[in-house]
Amino acid sequence: MRISQLSFLVLLPILMIHIYAILNRQPELAHLSEVLIFFPLIIGFYNKLEFSNQNISSFLFICFLAAMMNFYDNKFAHLAVMFCWMIAYFFLYREAIRHTQRKMANRYMKFFFLALLLLNIYFLSGHLEEIERKVSSEMEFGFYGIYYLNLLVLAVVGLVYYLNSYSKKSVYFISLIIALLFADVFRDMATFYLQDTSVQMIQALLHSGGIILAFKFFVTPERKLRLINLL
């Protein structure tokens, strides 16, 4: 059995502990399992990860730091974690831009891109309107606005990368963006206006899935997909 396969076997009980901790409202155990998720992934993909690549090493370090800061349960720590993720997203889409091959898009592709962009803007603006009613100051709301603007930029980069460089690597990237985007939305839903265990569980699964997909994105070489790969 390869190390990467063994690491996923180790990862499964950690994810189960993570879900158990959320369902039973044990935040300390949930935060601990969130930190532990990184170790089997790093060990499993160690030989394939290019730690000399600043985008990879910076993203993983900042994500790990954000997971550690979750142990501090207060508003300042919550905003600090979000700030860490903003920086992590920068290195993530910087890596995607590095692999993007620019091509001339036809009008159907341009329409598809514009439709998805407008749809993202619509949903995120509606989400921000809900947050605006709950936050205590304009400065805090401004921070959330900058955060989601950064997330929108990440979504745009992901769409451009996927539409121009259709490869297995770009599929991982667009998938992890979708996972992280919805994880952030569900996180704020659980924080501000829908404090339900099921929402927290979905957020945790999407967030953990995003981390796993990020590792897969970093270790997958850039190669064009053929039709046979889709079957």
Side-chain angles (χ1 to χ4, degrees), residues 58-157:
S58 298
F59 176 81
L60 294 179
F61 173 76
I62 295 170
C63 289
F64 184 79
L65 180 63
M68 292 293 293
M69 292 178 67
N70 277 325
F71 283 101
Y72 300 96
D73 189 15
N74 56 66
K75 181 180 288 188
F76 176 78
H78 178 71
L79 295 176
V81 169
M82 290 180 63
F83 180 73
C84 285
W85 274 104
M86 275 199 292
I87 300 173
Y89 289 156
F90 168 76
F91 289 106
L92 193 60
Y93 59 68
R94 188 181 175 198
E95 179 67 13
I97 291 172
R98 194 167 73 91
H99 294 285
T100 301
Q101 301 173 11
R102 296 182 182 180
K103 295 179 180 178
M104 292 297 294
N106 58 43
R107 59 183 178 179
Y108 300 107
M109 189 176 290
K110 289 178 180 178
F111 174 79
F112 177 71
F113 173 78
L114 183 61
L116 285 177
L117 178 61
L118 292 175
L119 193 64
N120 275 282
I121 293 173
Y122 173 75
F123 282 116
L124 289 180
S125 61
H127 182 60
L128 280 172
E129 286 178 5
E130 291 293 333
I131 291 177
E132 187 177 15
R133 301 189 185 102
K134 303 293 182 179
V135 296
S136 57
S137 66
E138 291 185 3
M139 184 177 293
E140 186 178 355
F141 175 70
F143 179 83
Y144 275 94
I146 294 172
Y147 181 87
Y148 277 102
L149 179 62
N150 186 50
L151 200 60
L152 183 62
V153 171
L154 182 64
V156 170
V157 171

Side-chain angles (χ1 to χ4, degrees), residues 1-222:
M1 184 179 291
R2 292 183 300 177
I3 295 178
S4 58
Q5 294 174 330
L6 184 61
S7 68
F8 274 103
L9 289 177
V10 175
L11 189 63
L12 285 175
I14 296 176
L15 290 174
M16 293 177 65
I17 292 170
H18 192 49
I19 295 171
Y20 168 84
I22 293 171
L23 291 175
N24 290 274
R25 300 184 183 278
Q26 299 182 22
E28 295 296 325
L29 181 59
H31 298 327
L32 177 61
S33 56
E34 189 177 354
V35 171
L36 292 177
I37 286 172
F38 286 88
F39 291 98
L41 291 171
I42 291 174
I43 294 171
F45 294 115
Y46 184 82
N47 292 329
K48 295 181 180 180
L49 286 169
E50 298 178 12
F51 289 103
S52 58
N53 184 333
Q54 185 183 23
N55 296 326
I56 296 175
S57 56
S58 298
F59 176 81
L60 294 179
F61 173 76
I62 295 170
C63 289
F64 184 79
L65 180 63
M68 292 293 293
M69 292 178 67
N70 277 325
F71 283 101
Y72 300 96
D73 189 15
N74 56 66
K75 181 180 288 188
F76 176 78
H78 178 71
L79 295 176
V81 169
M82 290 180 63
F83 180 73
C84 285
W85 274 104
M86 275 199 292
I87 300 173
Y89 289 156
F90 168 76
F91 289 106
L92 193 60
Y93 59 68
R94 188 181 175 198
E95 179 67 13
I97 291 172
R98 194 167 73 91
H99 294 285
T100 301
Q101 301 173 11
R102 296 182 182 180
K103 295 179 180 178
M104 292 297 294
N106 58 43
R107 59 183 178 179
Y108 300 107
M109 189 176 290
K110 289 178 180 178
F111 174 79
F112 177 71
F113 173 78
L114 183 61
L116 285 177
L117 178 61
L118 292 175
L119 193 64
N120 275 282
I121 293 173
Y122 173 75
F123 282 116
L124 289 180
S125 61
H127 182 60
L128 280 172
E129 286 178 5
E130 291 293 333
I131 291 177
E132 187 177 15
R133 301 189 185 102
K134 303 293 182 179
V135 296
S136 57
S137 66
E138 291 185 3
M139 184 177 293
E140 186 178 355
F141 175 70
F143 179 83
Y144 275 94
I146 294 172
Y147 181 87
Y148 277 102
L149 179 62
N150 186 50
L151 200 60
L152 183 62
V153 171
L154 182 64
V156 170
V157 171
L159 283 171
V160 172
Y161 177 35
Y162 177 74
L163 294 174
N164 285 277
S165 306
Y166 187 63
S167 62
K168 193 173 183 180
K169 192 178 184 73
S170 67
V171 172
Y172 280 130
F173 188 75
I174 196 70
S175 299
L176 80 89
I177 286 175
I178 292 171
L180 292 177
L181 191 152
F182 279 99
D184 285 340
V185 171
F186 279 111
R187 178 203 61 208
D188 292 336
M189 284 174 63
T191 302
F192 291 111
Y193 51 90
L194 191 59
Q195 297 179 356
D196 186 80
T197 304
S198 61
V199 175
Q200 294 175 343
M201 186 179 68
I202 294 171
Q203 187 273 334
L205 289 173
L206 287 169
H207 181 78
S208 300
I211 295 295
I212 295 169
L213 287 168
F215 275 86
K216 293 293 290 183
F217 164 69
F218 285 130
V219 301
T220 302
E222 177 68 28

